[in-house]
Amino acid sequence: MLLDSEQVNRAVARLDAWLETMRGPGGYGGPVAHWWQQSLVYTGPGHDWRYEGIIAGYLQLWKYTGERRWLDKVRRAGDDLVDAQLENGHFAASVFELNPATAGTPHEAGCDSGLLLLALLLREQGDPSWERYAACAERNVRCFYIEQLWDESMQAFRDDPRAPAFVPNKAATVCETMFLMAEATGQDIWVEHYAMPTIRRILAHQVTGGPFDGAMAQNSLGPRRIEKYFPIYNARCVSALLRGYRWTNQESYADAALRVMGFLRRWMAPDGSLPTVIYPNRSVNRYPLWIAPLGDVLHAANVCRSYGFEADFSETARWVLAGQDETGGIQTARGFAAQAGGTPGSLPDVRDVLHVVGWCDKVFRFLSAHVRKGPLPVATSDPFEQPCTFRGRSLLLTESPTELVVAAHQEPRYRWHKGQPWAGLAAPEFWLR
Amino acid sequence: MNRIGTCPVDRLAPLDYRYALDAAMSVPEMQATPLVRCNVATLEEEVCQRLPNRAEAPPAAAVLWVEPLAAGWKDELQTLVAALNPGAPLVVVASRPLARLLPERASWGEQPAGLTPGTLGQLRRALHRARCPVQATYGIHSLQSIGLHALSRWAERWGWPDLGDRLHFLARLRYCMRGPLAAFATVALIISRKQQNKAQPVSAPGVRAEETEPETGAGTRTERKGDAA
């Protein structure tokens, strides 16, 4: 993937500037637009998978630039999570689009991975505070993943303590955490007893042969497999499969990861975009046509490169970078308005234009792995406005470093003062879940 | 520890109630320290994880009233309106008769007033008489949405998952209703506001003054027709 390093450095600096505007008491907040649901009224901090990309991204910046400020931001993000941990080991508001709630999957595992990356870095530097972050992650892993979600008979992590639900991409996120736990504790049990059996179950969800070769079924409930293929979720399986390969040296794991990428490459449009979901009858729902969420596809392509995967995702990288606007944030999608059918209008849906921390972190992680060594340029998050529509209304979205406003003919319909846990104004159409 | 977002996801209340509670949070005064009266134990955790800090005693800048009960709602209404500052909102989240369709409700022991047809109409009129007129009523999880959801599941089952998904999202877009169709929903969200002395009532969020519901004439007839059905 050929990326202009100056463009990458500028994009990362601007993303960092925007991320700073999204911080409030308790961490990174803001509205969420997603395939399953929206969270537009709750705008407080989300202690979810956003911390996986934020911590990994800042950590890479620290390694590449040696600038102390990046390490401070990694530590600050780790402190958000330590402070957000509840008595029961969960993290408050850890369910992304389902917030407010806790015990989110794969979100708490994403947080744990972030904490463990930080702990491992600090330990390497001889900083005794590493134990604080490692202990926080281990507590969550034990209280939630081992005690509630590990299913001995299934030999895998469930997605629900009350039902035999299995979701490959979520399980893959937990497996990544288990590999980090093994690294942090020096105990193989995390991998041998938990991660590898789970990875084998993930493999059982992969399609072999035919037009969907390499695709991962979305989930299963008991013996019933749900054959829907979501490219962004398929991409999230790749890192865990490669870790499985590195641990066992069995080529089937690396092959499975490369076949996932092959599947994604075959469904990539000339402009670099990917359909949101592909159904076994070969129909697709292209909408919302993701932008920032494709950061995970780019990350997966990146980690596969050293395993001989040479397919070109440059168009996808260009598509994603084109989604960065004056704020420095990356827009979420195109065509949200057509999610339930029809074709998108000439103006984007409000949800398309939203910059969501839990999507932008994925681009941040990918891009920060490509920065040129040395200091990043100075960047700011600038005011931004965009005509858009939402549920039949013509609107104007404006975002500044301090607030997000959506107005119809200058009458605000939605307003969020950044840092506040709830939208200060949300007209009924914004109650949409 | 007072925090937002503490209810485990496998213990969440049905979306109907969560949607209504989130919508209630969009009333600006609700975001400070409102007085809360929640009469259903199962919903208490949901309320708590949105409003970890509450007013201990009147006067209150806002009141959230969750599930007025069949026994005693009239007295409770008087108490809650009396506790409100003039101009402050009283937001009611109440089950409607269609909530009987929700399987999760079967284990809830309490007897909500709204399950009986016509009672929410009485409640709205009682609010008006208590000088706390209703500004807007919403039906959450509308009958239309329920129907589309049933079609969605049917489409999935018969091998059209793509159509099933589209119907699911269409159902979500029809989840919240205003006007006469609001009565045909599982949960009601009623936003009222205690009158200020000789001052105009303030609008509900996102509702222009002309959209607020009249309490006499056509509005009252609509309300009766809807609740009776």
Side-chain angles (χ1 to χ4, degrees), chain B:
Chain B
M1 199 181 293
N2 293 340
R3 285 185 184 282
I4 296 175
T6 53
C7 178
V9 74
D10 63 314
R11 288 214 304 262
L12 290 179
L15 178 62
D16 321 50
Y17 297 92
R18 288 185 283 128
Y19 193 114
L21 290 170
D22 285 339
M25 292 305 298
S26 70
V27 176
E29 293 92 334
M30 203 62 68
Q31 297 174 17
T33 48
L35 194 69
V36 175
R37 183 68 56 91
C38 178
N39 291 319
V40 174
T42 316
L43 294 177
E44 180 62 31
E45 199 171 4
E46 287 288 357
V47 175
C48 255
Q49 71 160 346
R50 287 170 175 77
L51 289 165
N53 300 309
R54 307 168 181 194
E56 297 289 327
V63 165
L64 175 64
W65 188 13
V66 181
E67 286 289 40
L69 296 180
W73 69 263
K74 290 175 184 166
D75 292 340
E76 203 166 48
L77 181 145
Q78 296 301 329
T79 307
L80 294 175
V81 172
L84 271 178
N85 283 329
L90 189 157
V91 180
V92 185
V93 173
S95 297
R96 282 192 175 276
L98 274 181
R100 292 181 193 277
L101 294 175
L102 300 172
E104 296 92 333
R105 274 207 55 86
S107 60
W108 300 4
E110 300 83 356
Q111 285 302 313
L115 287 182
T116 307
T119 310
L120 289 187
Q122 291 173 30
L123 186 142
R124 287 156 48 104
R125 289 189 288 280
L127 282 167
H128 182 64
R129 284 194 300 273
R131 297 180 56 78
C132 193
V134 172
Q135 295 187 305
T137 302
Y138 300 92
I140 314 289
H141 201 178
S142 67
L143 191 57
Q144 203 180 349
S145 176
I146 293 170
L148 285 165
H149 237 121
L151 281 175
S152 158
R153 284 196 298 272
W154 182 85
E156 286 262 2
R157 200 168 300 139
W158 287 91
W160 296 308
D162 48 338
L163 178 62
D165 278 352
R166 288 180 195 282
L167 288 167
H168 168 79
F169 292 118
L170 202 56
R172 205 48 80 68
L173 291 169
R174 306 279 186 277
Y175 205 78
C176 177
M177 292 272 175
R178 286 200 70 200
L181 290 177
F184 301 98
T186 57
V187 171
L189 173 72
I190 300 169
I191 301 173
S192 66
R193 197 171 282 271
K194 189 171 180 176
Q195 282 182 340
Q196 309 222 31
N197 292 336
K198 296 182 181 177
Q200 290 293 321
V202 186
S203 289
V207 180
R208 288 193 297 272
E210 64 269 26
E211 287 178 9
T212 55
E213 297 185 356
E215 285 306 308
T216 56
T220 309
R221 280 199 299 278
T222 300
E223 172 186 280
R224 282 180 182 153
K225 195 197 291 178
D227 277 324

Side-chain angles (χ1 to χ4, degrees), chain A residues 331-350:
Chain A
Q331 296 181 6
T332 296
R334 288 287 173 269
F336 243 113
Q339 187 185 25
T343 49
S346 55
L347 289 176
D349 188 276
V350 164

Side-chain angles (χ1 to χ4, degrees), chain A residues 18-31 41-46 357 399-404 415-424, chain B residues 4 31:
Chain A
W18 173 77
L19 281 170
E20 282 304 302
T21 74
M22 300 300 278
R23 281 195 62 81
Y28 296 88
V41 181
Y42 174 74
T43 49
V357 177
E399 182 173 342
S400 73
T402 55
E403 71 173 1
L404 171 69
R415 174 180 287 125
W416 173 52
H417 290 288
K418 291 187 177 182
Q420 293 298 309
W422 301 94
Chain B
I4 296 175
Q31 297 174 17

Side-chain angles (χ1 to χ4, degrees), chain A residues 269-288:
Chain A
D271 62 7
S273 65
L274 280 153
T276 294
V277 53
I278 300 154
Y279 298 96
N281 61 6
R282 297 198 192 200
S283 65
V284 300
N285 192 345
R286 282 172 57 74
Y287 303 112

